[in-house]
Amino acid sequence: MRNQGPEMEVVHLLRAVTVELGLHSARFASRNGMHPTDVRALIALMDASRADQEMTAGRLGAVLGLNSAGTTALVDRLERAGHVRRVRGKADRRKVAIEVTESAVELGWDHFGPLIGRAVELLRVYDERETAAIRGFLEGVREAAKECD
Amino acid sequence: MRNQGPEMEVVHLLRAVTVELGLHSARFASRNGMHPTDVRALIALMDASRADQEMTAGRLGAVLGLNSAGTTALVDRLERAGHVRRVRGKADRRKVAIEVTESAVELGWDHFGPLIGRAVELLRVYDERETAAIRGFLEGVREAAKECD
DNA sequence: TCGAGTATCTCGCTCGGCGAGATAATACGG
DNA sequence: CCGTATTATCTCGCCGAGCGAGATACTCGA
């Protein structure tokens, strides 16, 4: 029942990929004296900056599943390491916007750039229908993971 | 330079999938009073059992990147929760083989089964060439993550 | 202006993981 | 066989990430 069609091989492969990508992030973390949570925080911050919306301390904690105390400690760590700046909200001065520093972006690019480059190379060999299949499968899994709660 | 061809969209999508799968594991962990590391340990143990090779305490710690003290604490936690059994090695009595209990397997299947089922469904709609593309891309990314260290 | 609401921070604590070293079992040269 | 080096795991003491509770600082509606 819980056994292998040929599809299960791909499912295990996807899981292996997530494990390997997790280890890749962990190497980045330990090389820079950071913890897994700090890396997740930087990724969330860069995502927000790419979407051109400001990330406050509270929203960051919510995304990472931390409470306010843990979030403060996290931002303290990142700020002490120079990866992040606290900027008091101009409109609402209770809020604290968190901005990644240029040095943190460089650091991240140095580590993740080569991997991203190779992934992009991989995609070049596929035609439109194959690329659509890859995109469709990934989107489907993302939705499924969101909904199977 | 570090900007968007249409390929970058797929790369970001893959990253989003790993984030979502991570959150799915985290839900499993918190629902069962476990920590992320405990879930990773159970996955490693089930992988080993699927490959029909015994997992010792030391090997488990190495896979997870824990030292011996942390590994002992981890196995203590899992054993206390009834997810795992310690079995002294028969050939080499220094070694301690770790076996997942049937109840842990059931627990894992209850949580991950639906997601796996939906992923398998997704794959059914693709023909052989599309499936090969998905497999090829995932294998390529796995290799790239391993090699970009 | 006052009080309710909201965003962040401080304090004290728990517990996962680490380093160092103890213990137990095996391997191996003499 | 015996003693010593080696290997696998465990024990002890400590550090630090993250939590709960409550303090602080700011905003907004009445």
Side-chain angles (χ1 to χ4, degrees):
Chain A
M1 221 50 328
R2 44 188 73 175
N3 259 339
Q4 57 260 12
E7 289 93 355
M8 275 307 277
E9 190 199 335
V10 176
V11 172
H12 278 120
L13 183 53
L14 174 60
R15 197 171 49 65
V17 167
T18 69
V19 168
E20 213 57 57
L21 290 178
L23 292 175
H24 190 259
S25 281
R27 284 194 292 271
F28 173 69
S30 86
R31 261 174 218 186
N32 296 87
M34 299 168 66
H35 300 265
T37 299
D38 305 65
V39 180
R40 288 173 58 215
L42 287 180
I43 290 174
L45 287 166
M46 292 185 196
D47 279 352
S49 131
R50 180 178 302 117
D52 254 314
Q53 60 181 101
E54 84 170 11
M55 180 65 105
T56 65
R59 266 176 36 80
L60 179 61
V63 169
L64 302 178
L66 299 181
N67 72 359
S68 64
T71 304
T72 298
L74 165 69
V75 177
D76 284 350
R77 275 199 310 275
L78 291 174
E79 194 172 43
R80 219 178 305 128
H83 298 321
V84 128
R85 263 188 306 273
R86 272 178 165 95
V87 183
R88 272 285 163 194
K90 296 178 172 48
D92 185 340
R93 293 184 47 73
R94 289 169 305 180
K95 294 187 179 176
V96 172
I98 316 288
E99 294 173 356
V100 288
T101 61
E102 189 55 32
S103 73
V105 174
E106 285 304 318
L107 217 59
W109 190 254
D110 287 350
H111 188 84
F112 291 103
L115 176 54
I116 292 173
R118 291 201 36 186
V120 168
E121 280 306 314
L122 282 170
L123 287 166
R124 287 206 206 289
V125 310
Y126 298 115
D127 65 27
E128 203 147 324
R129 202 161 120 260
E130 290 168 323
T131 305
I134 292 169
R135 195 200 324 272
F137 177 63
L138 292 178
E139 275 167 357
V141 170
R142 185 185 52 181
E143 292 314 308
K146 238 181 254 184
E147 289 167 26
C148 292
D149 52 1
Chain B
M1 216 62 316
R2 44 188 73 173
N3 260 339
Q4 57 260 14
E7 291 90 355
M8 275 307 278
E9 189 198 337
V10 175
V11 172
H12 278 118
L13 183 54
L14 175 60
R15 195 172 49 66
V17 167
T18 69
V19 167
E20 213 57 57
L21 290 177
L23 292 175
H24 190 259
S25 280
R27 284 195 291 271
F28 173 69
S30 86
R31 259 173 219 185
N32 295 86
M34 300 169 65
H35 300 266
T37 300
D38 304 277
V39 179
R40 289 172 58 215
L42 287 180
I43 290 174
L45 287 165
M46 291 184 196
D47 279 353
S49 132
R50 179 177 305 117
D52 255 314
Q53 60 181 97
E54 84 169 11
M55 181 63 104
T56 65
R59 265 175 38 80
L60 179 60
V63 168
L64 301 180
L66 299 181
N67 74 357
S68 63
T71 304
T72 298
L74 165 69
V75 177
D76 284 350
R77 274 198 311 275
L78 292 174
E79 194 172 43
R80 219 178 306 127
H83 299 320
V84 129
R85 262 188 305 273
R86 273 178 164 93
V87 183
R88 273 284 162 194
K90 295 180 172 49
D92 184 340
R93 294 186 43 75
R94 289 169 305 180
K95 293 187 180 177
V96 172
I98 316 288
E99 294 173 356
V100 289
T101 61
E102 188 56 32
S103 72
V105 173
E106 286 304 318
L107 217 58
W109 190 253
D110 287 349
H111 188 84
F112 292 103
L115 177 54
I116 293 173
R118 291 203 33 185
V120 168
E121 280 307 313
L122 281 170
L123 287 165
R124 287 206 206 288
V125 309
Y126 298 115
D127 66 26
E128 203 146 326
R129 199 160 122 262
E130 291 168 322
T131 304
I134 293 169
R135 196 199 323 273
F137 177 63
L138 292 177
E139 275 167 356
V141 171
R142 185 185 53 181
E143 292 313 308
K146 235 181 257 185
E147 288 166 26
C148 292
D149 52 0

